Amino acid sequence: MKFSLEFNPSNYTVQTLTIDSQTITYRAFENNVYVENPVDTKYQIMNIYVPEAYYEGKTIGSYTASTAPIFMPNTVGGYMPGAPEKPGKHPWHGGVNAAFAALLKGYVVAAPGVRGRVTQDEKGVYTGKAPACIVDLKAAVRYLRYNRKAIPGDTEKIISNGTSAGGALSSLLGVTGNNADYEPYLRELGAAYERDDIFAASCYCPITNLDNADIAYEWMYNGLNDYTKVVLETVTGEKFIPGITPPEQIRRVFVSDTMTEEQIKVSNKLKGLFPSYLNSLGLKKADGTELTLDANGNGSFKDYVKSFVIASAQKALDSDADLYEFDWITIKDGIVKDIDFDKYVQYATRMKPATAFDGLNLDTPENDLFGTKDIKAQHFTQFAKEHSTAQGSLADASIVKLLNPMNYIGREGTSTARYWRIRHGAIDRDTSLAIPVILAAKLANNGFDVNLEMPWGQGHGGDYDLEELFAWIKKICIS
Ligand code: DHB
């Protein structure tokens, strides 16, 4: 069955929602299939929300129905399928979610659903393996442009937002605008013939640059052999089954363990591979200083990563956090002078044993992401393929390429978002701090406007600073 790409402006309900004594009234246009040939109508749909005030000819702040920027959140986590966000409470922190906050501030919200690594059709064929997640987001952007006369909001001001795997997708969407590599996938789905570049990307803890994430992780965590990870199970202690266990029955439990001798050897090898990768990027600081590492993993890049942790500690200190208990932070006259990086890493703790992403036993979310329509999970690095304990096959290099924003920044024929806000909690151990720093540096070196911070005391998560996020969005939309 072919679906129409025409948005139906009369198919809506008016909804009013009050959370924490804040009330919004909006038109909800839900479940719009955004491609002509969907393979999954549960996820290839978009919810669009518009403040009702705009239909009464009113303005919110300086925005009108036609000038309001479009806020585009995705709910992808763990490279699982993500349902379209609805205004409401945030599932993790319990405050209002980004869609609610955006409507309150007068944005149009366009919330696409996205296929994920476990999505299957009725025959058991996987329909959401890479690159489905990024292709879906691009198709959703094209749908908005295709319907720009019928849908309120300014399609030249689309701001994407996501957390973790969703943050990675937000970065990919921001980087890869209109790149021809994705065209065959978009054609097959019957996506609209429109541009798919966006204005800005907000990325919380993007779990990205996956094919280099193992070496980046060991560069940071090598020498720490104990790890503590979060395992999902059901509230009754049974095995969590992705896509099957209902969200309200999921319980997060901490499991601590020590890496095996074999894993420690792997960690040592991977750590040694990181400097040459990093040096190959030719990254620079804003003042032109080259960011490099010596064979031991020390050098200006490490100092640069540390500078973000120092800036974070300073901000915390300035807002009265007590940092004097940490003997690895040097503070003089209210100024954070230095941080002992190794001690800071010990404080943060390791979360994942080596290999952190391309599991030798094919047991990570990322292995699953790089499966195919009939292979559940694959490797995506040469290292893990060579050390595989599961005789795993290697994903097609052209698919791995499509999932890594580093391949597209500043590339000819590609429109990259002009504005970037990247946040990675200072104690978020889901990926190495090197990953957001590399992404930000490459964007900045290519002339894009990047705002990267590592909020103090913040673990893995997103949307925890919505006031600041929307203040940033307001500023970039005016400038
Ligand atoms: C997410 C977390 C991870 O540690 C990971 O490897 C991939 C995704 C997430 O929370 O989305």
Side-chain angles (χ1 to χ4, degrees):
M1 168 175 171
K2 215 174 172 98
F3 284 75
S4 168
L5 289 174
E6 303 297 327
F7 174 76
N8 179 355
S10 51
N11 188 12
Y12 64 87
T13 58
V14 177
Q15 302 181 0
T16 295
L17 195 58
T18 302
I19 302 177
D20 298 340
S21 68
Q22 292 175 304
T23 297
I24 44 173
T25 299
Y26 50 92
R27 287 194 187 181
F29 305 87
E30 294 182 326
N31 305 326
N32 302 283
V33 174
Y34 54 67
V35 286
E36 282 183 337
N37 316 313
V39 295
D40 184 333
T41 49
K42 182 165 175 215
Y43 288 104
Q44 292 179 306
I45 54 174
M46 182 150 56
N47 289 351
I48 295 167
Y49 303 100
V50 184
E52 183 65 19
Y54 290 145
Y55 295 95
E56 296 157 3
K58 292 184 186 151
T59 57
I60 302 179
S62 58
Y63 301 136
T64 66
S66 53
T67 66
I70 301 175
F71 182 69
M72 189 176 211
N74 76 70
T75 66
V76 173
Y79 288 101
M80 295 289 288
E85 185 160 284
K86 295 175 188 241
K89 287 193 174 179
H90 190 278
W92 292 5
H93 62 56
V96 301
N97 66 13
F100 186 98
L103 286 170
L104 206 57
K105 309 258 180 216
Y107 296 93
V108 169
V109 173
V114 178
R115 285 171 294 162
R117 60 186 166 91
V118 297
T119 322
Q120 279 171 296
D121 68 12
E122 64 286 353
K123 296 196 194 89
V125 172
Y126 290 110
T127 55
K129 300 294 189 187
C133 45
I134 179 59
V135 172
D136 283 357
L137 282 180
K138 284 175 165 295
V141 170
R142 290 179 174 210
Y143 177 91
L144 288 174
R145 281 224 168 79
Y146 183 80
N147 288 294
R148 60 189 167 276
K149 295 212 171 70
I151 302 175
D154 179 359
T155 46
E156 296 314 300
K157 292 271 164 62
I158 297 175
I159 302 117
S160 153
N161 183 57
T163 296
S164 196
L169 293 182
S170 184
S171 73
L172 260 181
L173 186 66
V175 160
T176 61
N178 311 320
N179 186 282
D181 287 356
Y182 302 86
E183 204 58 38
Y185 301 95
L186 289 156
R187 288 279 59 77
E188 198 178 330
L189 289 172
Y193 282 100
E194 291 285 345
R195 287 167 30 225
D196 55 43
D197 57 287
I198 59 169
F199 177 68
S202 159
C203 316
Y204 288 96
C205 51
I207 303 290
T208 192
N209 199 349
L210 298 173
D211 35 329
N212 297 293
D214 286 333
I215 58 178
Y217 205 78
E218 299 315 318
W219 168 74
M220 184 161 162
Y221 290 102
N222 177 263
L224 273 190
N225 297 332
D226 294 340
Y227 60 94
T228 309
K229 62 178 176 180
V230 178
V231 175
L232 300 181
E233 58 178 39
T234 70
V235 285
T236 51
E238 280 153 58
K239 195 169 157 24
F240 158 75
I241 307 172
I244 304 285
T245 310
E248 66 279 6
Q249 282 187 24
I250 299 172
R251 176 166 79 182
R252 297 155 74 90
V253 283
F254 281 92
V255 175
S256 296
D257 211 338
T258 302
M259 291 206 291
T260 62
E261 284 305 317
E262 200 46 50
Q263 288 170 326
I264 293 168
K265 271 192 220 150
V266 164
S267 167
N268 293 339
K269 279 191 208 161
L270 290 170
K271 179 193 174 181
L273 296 174
F274 186 65
S276 63
Y277 165 67
L278 186 277
N279 294 336
S280 76
L281 297 172
L283 301 174
K284 292 190 174 68
K285 284 208 303 198
D287 66 5
T289 315
E290 287 183 10
L291 295 168
T292 58
L293 290 174
D294 65 20
N296 293 322
N298 294 315
S300 57
F301 177 75
K302 189 169 180 178
D303 294 340
Y304 188 54
V305 172
K306 191 168 87 169
S307 75
F308 287 95
V309 184
I310 292 176
S312 164
Q314 185 68 56
K315 199 167 173 178
L317 193 66
D318 293 345
S319 43
D320 287 338
D322 179 11
L323 303 188
Y324 291 91
E325 61 175 302
F326 302 117
D327 63 0
W328 39 271
I329 307 181
T330 311
I331 304 172
K332 216 171 153 226
D333 301 328
I335 304 293
V336 179
K337 295 282 187 193
D338 198 14
I339 279 182
D340 179 327
F341 196 71
D342 292 343
K343 288 202 177 152
Y344 152 72
V345 175
Q346 280 171 32
Y347 162 77
T349 71
R350 173 194 278 270
M351 175 185 178
K352 302 173 178 185
T355 50
F357 293 89
D358 194 345
L360 302 185
N361 202 21
L362 292 177
D363 57 357
T364 69
E366 290 77 13
N367 292 133
D368 234 27
L369 170 68
F370 287 110
T372 68
K373 60 182 177 24
D374 39 30
I375 304 175
K376 181 175 181 296
Q378 295 195 105
H379 293 298
F380 49 95
T381 64
Q382 198 59 41
F383 183 95
K385 159 80 178 137
E386 283 167 14
H387 294 77
S388 183
T389 55
Q391 283 97 47
S393 48
L394 189 61
D396 195 330
S398 65
I399 307 270
V400 179
K401 180 187 176 203
L402 294 173
L403 264 284
N404 191 338
M406 296 298 291
N407 298 321
Y408 293 96
I409 299 169
R411 274 293 157 90
E412 214 173 302
T414 311
S415 302
T416 294
R418 192 160 153 209
Y419 295 100
W420 291 80
R421 185 176 192 270
I422 304 172
R423 291 293 178 270
H424 186 105
I427 51 168
D428 182 340
R429 316 135 324 132
D430 279 58
T431 195
S432 167
L433 295 185
I435 295 296
V437 172
I438 290 171
L439 175 65
K442 184 144 174 128
L443 285 163
N445 290 175
N446 279 274
F448 302 107
D449 185 316
V450 189
N451 176 317
L452 167 63
E453 288 184 19
M454 300 179 179
W456 192 257
Q458 177 66 50
H460 193 58
D463 296 353
Y464 41 73
D465 57 352
L466 292 174
E467 278 303 316
E468 288 173 46
L469 170 64
F470 285 104
W472 174 80
I473 293 175
K474 186 173 173 188
K475 201 168 103 205
I476 61 168
C477 286
I478 292 168
S479 60

